[in-house]
Amino acid sequence: MNCQQGNASNDPCSIPIRHDTVTQNHESAYYKWSRGDQYLDWYGAEKNQGTFQSKQAEGSPMIWTTNDKEFKNGEETVAKYGSGYTPLNTLGAHYWMLDIMMDCSKTESGWFELKAYSTTEKWEKYTKDTSCLQRKPPYSYGNHLALCGKLNVFKFNEEWCRIKDIPNRNVFG
């Protein structure tokens, strides 16, 4: 496939997405940056993607999460504030989450690559995490490799991953 055609809307390697997390805080960075974000791609901000405090998104926004139900006395939750506690985080006190619905038909047999971008550390290094691969991917890769329709967990700049079934969606509230 010939990727990188200039922008997300015409690149065959861009995967159509819809952000699935709903937050009551319409002033949060996540809420603002997720508006108009229609593709999982390598281009950064999309043409109509939202801004937060006059700053343009640098890609698909992630949400800071914790598994601590008592974080800030149980008041700061993803559903209420756009960051904080969510029952989907069963892993620990400091995980970033990208919760999206995506068009799996645009992947390579269910597989797709991704990597995080941090405003302080920039792009993650290339990695070949293989500890979580449930089946052989159809191509060679140099980024985190995720499986569509699953809960994929990675550690920043580490060759560590987990691929699990997605928990029951009624955990959000």
Side-chain angles (χ1 to χ4, degrees), residues 14-173:
S14 295
I15 303 171
I17 63 170
R18 184 190 82 224
H19 287 267
D20 211 29
T21 297
V22 177
T23 180
Q24 297 170 13
N25 182 359
H26 292 187
E27 298 304 316
S28 71
Y30 169 76
Y31 181 85
K32 297 286 190 177
W33 284 333
S34 64
R35 304 299 106 196
D37 183 27
Q38 299 177 328
Y39 298 93
L40 191 59
D41 61 75
W42 300 99
Y43 296 107
E46 294 174 31
K47 182 179 179 182
N48 296 314
Q49 194 167 352
T51 60
F52 174 70
Q53 297 178 347
S54 301
K55 185 174 181 196
Q56 192 166 29
E58 300 199 35
S60 296
M62 297 175 70
I63 304 166
W64 179 85
T65 71
T66 181
N67 67 341
D68 181 0
K69 288 182 183 179
E70 299 306 315
F71 178 70
K72 294 200 176 176
N73 296 317
E75 290 294 315
E76 189 166 324
T77 65
V78 168
K80 190 172 183 181
Y81 286 100
S83 64
Y85 170 74
T86 177
L88 190 56
N89 177 349
T90 61
L91 300 164
H94 183 69
Y95 278 82
W96 290 86
M97 175 177 78
L98 176 63
D99 183 22
I100 56 175
M101 299 295 289
M102 61 190 299
D103 183 350
C104 294
S105 73
K106 301 291 185 182
T107 65
E108 294 282 334
S109 301
W111 295 103
F112 62 99
E113 290 181 68
L114 71 151
K115 67 169 47 179
Y117 180 86
S118 161
T119 56
T120 56
E121 298 184 50
K122 303 303 179 199
W123 286 107
E124 277 187 282
K125 66 181 180 180
Y126 286 100
T127 183
K128 277 199 174 252
D129 30 10
T130 59
S131 61
C132 63
L133 301 184
Q134 299 167 336
R135 61 182 194 222
K136 186 176 181 192
Y139 61 93
S140 122
Y141 60 97
N143 299 302
H144 295 298
L145 197 61
L147 194 53
C148 196
K150 298 288 186 177
L151 175 66
N152 298 272
V153 183
F154 307 97
K155 290 189 178 180
F156 191 83
N157 274 338
E158 291 186 28
E159 291 189 0
W160 183 96
C161 58
R162 296 290 179 270
I163 298 177
K164 303 169 19 173
D165 288 332
I166 296 174
N168 187 343
R169 297 303 288 187
N170 70 8
V171 299
F172 295 101

